[in-house]
Amino acid sequence: MSIQLVTTVAGLRAESARLLGAKRGSSQGLVPTMGALHEGHATLARTAVEHNDVVLASIFVNPLQFGEAADLDRYPRTLDADLALLEEQGVDLAFAPSVEEVYPGGQPLVRITSGRLGEKWEGASRPGHFDGALTVVAKLLHYGTPAAGLPAGTPDGASANGGLPAYRAYFGQKDAQQLALVRRMAADLNFPVEIVGVPTVRAADGLALSSRNRFLSEAERDAALVLSRALRLLEERANAHEPLDLDSALALVESQPLVELDYFDVVDPDTLEPLAENCRETPFRGEALALIAAKVGPVRLIDNVRLSS
Ligand code: AMP
């Protein structure tokens, strides 16, 4: 079946309800994106298609989460290619609304506040970014909520979810702070949705796929590889139960003149608070996230890896 494109919230609700009924489906998945889709997004979509009877993907470049107007203006827009990629993964519905459709009254007065968790790391360099991102994610999660009214006793999640269809939303671990915040928002504000984190998809040489990679020159792309190499070094040390020795990994990044490092640290995976110094000098034990962000040429890149030992 071919993918359908809808541009209004009413259209999305009507079509997703129709599909859920037509398929006698008992689960619905949502994949929020900003378009310019690549294999990372495709993996999110494929995972959602494996888990759910009906899958919606949104394509919306959210002005609320951009600091600089220039960054918003130059964000790549590739709708036709995006629709083809989503269709290939088996997504049922693509939702690509205008800014006016999502914010009919202009900028929303009331927003989600990301709090302390949103002020550090990416939030420190991009003030207001996560408030804007969570506000649109909250709206998208509402739009994608499956319609009630399925026949009783439908298999899968429907019975586990009080008779309602199961509802899941898919986010990449690539944006680790965003994922942690979306999980907290859903838990703190009782959103009736399961948040599913999907592992980071990388190019063969290790660079995490990103819609912004297309703005890197060849030399910058080569230089950017130092981010995933430094993370890999920490991962290898954690796997070998060795001290993480963050300083030597940091020195590797700083040896690359085209890379302007913003932050590089090892943090608790839920609170994103830096871990005690001892995980650097004594063998690493436990669970952590290593986070890195840097500017390479015109592009701000982020990456992370989960450490477990
Ligand atoms: P974006 O379009 O960049 O806002 O990303 C939409 C979703 O795709 C987010 O949940 C991202 O975390 C996820 N994503 C982006 N890049 C990757 C990647 N390389 N691997 C896995 N997920 C990704």
Side-chain angles (χ1 to χ4, degrees):
M1 197 198 73
S2 62
I3 193 165
Q4 283 183 68
L5 171 65
V6 289
T7 57
T8 65
V9 176
L12 177 71
R13 290 198 166 127
E15 277 311 299
S16 58
R18 192 187 61 72
L19 278 165
L20 208 50
K23 293 187 175 194
R24 295 185 67 79
S26 59
S27 54
Q28 186 154 295
L30 172 71
V31 183
T33 82
M34 297 205 298
L37 304 183
H38 50 64
E39 186 52 34
H41 302 105
T43 303
L44 258 62
R46 267 199 309 277
T47 310
V49 168
E50 277 164 27
H51 293 177
N52 299 282
D53 297 321
V54 173
V55 173
L56 330 172
S58 61
I59 298 173
F60 180 61
V61 183
N62 173 35
L64 233 53
Q65 70 192 66
F66 284 79
E68 294 168 33
D71 191 26
L72 173 63
D73 288 345
R74 71 168 187 177
Y75 199 84
R77 287 156 218 252
T78 58
L79 185 63
D80 291 344
D82 293 347
L83 293 176
L85 177 142
L86 293 172
E87 178 165 277
E88 239 171 81
Q89 317 314 316
V91 170
D92 299 288
L93 264 179
F95 175 54
S98 64
V99 172
E100 294 69 33
E101 179 70 13
V102 177
Y103 301 116
Q107 297 234 335
L109 180 64
V110 176
R111 304 177 186 207
I112 302 286
T113 307
S114 56
R116 246 184 317 130
L117 192 53
E119 283 164 12
K120 58 184 94 180
W121 311 121
E122 282 307 283
S125 298
R126 307 176 67 187
H129 168 69
F130 286 118
D131 291 4
L134 288 184
T135 300
V136 84
V137 169
K139 289 170 72 85
L140 293 169
L141 289 172
H142 290 317
Y143 302 156
T145 302
L150 282 174
T154 317
D156 187 18
S159 46
N161 202 23
L164 293 172
Y167 182 30
R168 307 181 181 98
Y170 294 78
F171 295 85
Q173 285 168 9
K174 155 89 172 25
D175 297 280
Q177 189 172 8
Q178 172 176 277
L179 175 58
L181 278 162
V182 169
R183 286 194 196 285
R184 278 307 296 258
M185 175 175 78
D188 289 352
L189 302 181
N190 302 91
F191 280 51
V193 60
E194 180 191 343
I195 304 299
V196 182
V198 178
T200 302
V201 178
R202 298 176 180 281
D205 57 13
L207 185 70
L209 298 188
S210 161
S211 305
R212 291 185 164 98
N213 289 351
R214 69 190 69 200
F215 297 128
L216 294 169
S217 69
E218 206 175 312
E220 288 160 353
R221 196 190 174 289
D222 275 353
L225 290 177
V226 83
L227 271 64
S228 53
R229 286 205 187 115
L231 292 173
R232 182 101 190 92
L233 205 58
L234 296 185
E235 195 182 21
E236 283 165 7
R237 288 175 188 157
N239 291 345
H241 311 293
E242 288 171 5
L244 294 181
D245 187 11
L246 187 62
D247 289 341
S248 69
L250 193 64
L252 175 69
V253 180
E254 287 176 339
S255 71
Q256 180 45 261
L258 291 179
V259 173
E260 195 185 314
L261 185 67
D262 182 355
Y263 58 78
F264 184 22
D265 216 333
V266 178
V267 304
D268 178 278
D270 299 319
T271 65
L272 304 189
E273 292 294 340
L275 287 181
E277 284 298 310
N278 69 6
C279 80
R280 302 176 188 212
E281 274 142 37
T282 57
F284 175 75
R285 290 267 165 226
E287 298 288 323
L289 265 180
L291 302 177
I292 193 164
K295 196 139 190 244
V296 185
V299 186
R300 187 185 161 77
L301 296 175
I302 59 172
D303 198 352
N304 69 86
V305 73
R306 182 93 185 196
L307 305 177
S308 182
S309 177

